Amino acid sequence: MPALAFPVRDGSEPAPLDHSSFAGDTPAELAPTIRVGDHVFERSVIDSRTRFPVPEVKAVYRRRIVTDVDLAPDGMSLTIGFQERFPTDESMVATLHSIDPEWHTYPPAGMPDFPRSDVELGAKPDWEVTHWEPERVTPPPLEDVTDLIVHRVQGRGSRQLVNHLLIGEPDGRIDHRLGGVAKWKAGFIATHDGHPYSVAVLAQPYSYSYDGASEELYVTRLANHPNRPPNTSSWMLARLRDWMRKHTERKRLVAIAGIDNNVGTCYQAAGFELDRIETVSSTGWESREGRAVARRDEWTERRYVLSL
């Protein structure tokens, strides 16, 4: 997830915030960076808990639509009006440009990009959503991978926690291009002092139509924070292997590499063997009823297998 996110302008598709005239934080410089019709999302924390190894907070997100942007004639003050909210000033716009704002220019998880036209203001989830999420704390740089502890997270709310990390929360720096997951066999988080440094998901095979599928589990997600220690990915894979040996009867751990030209270096380092190489394309999804893809990707897919 990029540090500067995506507002909704005048009913159009979400587009990057326009920073062409953004040179500082004076009212005159900030005024062109927000427009009438933009959707912004206010975040407030109302509770906290420590159910999982990563501390969580209960956050409420409310959609606000900009109704007025008024720069004073002398350029010394800026007033922004919101639907169903008192006006605010240029400090809010500056916050929108910060890395970790309480105001966002993109919808949170569980809220659509656009509110439905037949929903009253204040209805959920178009205008407001509440959920548990990781604390907004950036993990400090870590040098030694043995300082990490891997936890299998399970129970109510566990997949939501893992998905928040996979889509780039809490600080936007752990993420995975494929985002969160709808199903899993098991989810894992590697932490140090309560900070998440790595996330991994194991899942059942996509299909049982081939021989040996019932003997396999797949690594469907593996994502790290930039401040993780060296060799975190291969170390995590070894922990997944150990968990499978102890808790399952499966004989193989499988991983697919290829997204963003990933050749699977971490799998090779963890002892996986290259099983298959083929060229795949996301355009094949477009022929499936009810499916569409936003981009036409083609990549070399590599299937790696680790025998247990």
Side-chain angles (χ1 to χ4, degrees):
M1 179 184 299
L4 299 174
F6 304 91
V8 177
R9 295 193 184 278
D10 304 322
S12 63
E13 291 298 318
L17 197 62
D18 180 8
H19 291 269
S20 59
S21 60
F22 182 68
D25 58 0
T26 68
E29 291 167 327
L30 289 168
T33 69
I34 188 169
R35 298 189 304 202
V36 171
D38 282 354
H39 291 208
V40 296
F41 302 87
E42 179 188 19
R43 175 181 181 267
S44 56
V45 173
I46 60 174
D47 201 356
S48 62
R49 71 181 183 187
T50 55
R51 176 182 296 178
F52 301 109
V54 177
E56 296 177 286
V57 296
K58 192 174 187 179
V60 180
Y61 291 86
R62 296 179 177 88
R63 182 190 301 269
R64 309 294 186 187
I65 299 179
V66 177
T67 58
D68 183 62
V69 180
D70 183 20
L71 179 66
D74 60 5
M76 298 303 293
S77 65
L78 176 66
T79 301
I80 303 98
F82 291 94
Q83 186 172 330
E84 298 295 314
R85 185 173 175 84
F86 290 116
T88 186
D89 58 19
E90 60 269 11
S91 64
M92 188 282 296
V93 186
T95 301
L96 287 173
H97 294 281
S98 69
I99 294 175
D100 187 24
E102 290 303 294
W103 287 79
H104 299 265
T105 55
Y106 55 91
M111 188 184 291
D113 287 348
F114 301 96
R116 299 189 301 272
S117 60
D118 59 345
V119 175
E120 296 292 332
L121 180 65
K124 300 177 182 180
D126 296 74
W127 294 88
E128 180 177 309
V129 66
T130 302
H131 57 225
W132 290 96
E133 62 184 38
E135 285 186 329
R136 293 181 171 275
V137 179
T138 298
L142 198 62
E143 299 298 328
D144 193 339
V145 71
T146 61
D147 289 334
L148 293 175
I149 300 174
V150 174
H151 312 262
R152 182 194 177 186
V153 290
Q154 53 187 327
R156 184 176 181 181
S158 58
R159 191 166 69 243
Q160 178 175 288
L161 170 63
V162 168
N163 283 344
H164 274 299
L165 296 172
L166 288 171
I167 64 175
E169 298 200 22
D171 67 356
R173 303 186 71 195
I174 290 183
D175 59 19
H176 193 289
R177 176 172 168 180
L178 298 180
V181 297
K183 297 180 180 180
W184 68 6
K185 173 69 174 180
F188 302 85
I189 302 176
T191 69
H192 177 71
D193 287 343
H195 297 296
Y197 286 88
S198 185
V199 185
V201 173
L202 295 180
Q204 307 284 3
Y206 306 108
S207 169
Y208 283 90
S209 62
Y210 61 93
D211 292 340
S214 61
E215 298 178 344
E216 298 175 347
L217 284 180
Y218 276 68
V219 182
T220 57
R221 298 290 189 275
L222 177 59
N224 303 318
H225 195 281
N227 290 344
R228 88 285 193 184
N231 305 314
T232 294
S233 290
S234 56
W235 182 87
M236 279 288 286
L237 291 167
R239 307 288 84 72
L240 300 181
R241 175 204 62 200
D242 294 344
W243 180 86
M244 283 182 60
R245 286 174 174 170
K246 184 175 181 180
H247 297 282
T248 78
E249 300 297 324
R250 306 298 174 106
K251 297 180 179 179
R252 291 179 297 277
L253 180 60
V254 181
I256 304 297
I259 295 293
D260 292 334
N261 297 317
N262 172 24
V263 299
T265 302
C266 67
Y267 302 122
Q268 299 171 32
F272 285 68
E273 295 184 359
L274 182 61
D275 179 64
R276 184 179 68 235
I277 301 178
E278 63 180 343
T279 300
V280 297
S281 173
S282 64
T283 57
W285 285 49
E286 294 178 330
S287 62
R288 297 176 61 183
E289 184 177 356
R291 289 290 186 92
V293 290
R295 52 192 298 167
R296 295 172 177 266
D297 285 337
E298 185 173 284
W299 64 89
T300 300
E301 180 183 274
R302 292 172 171 84
R303 184 180 190 267
Y304 287 92
V305 177
L306 177 67
S307 297
L308 305 183

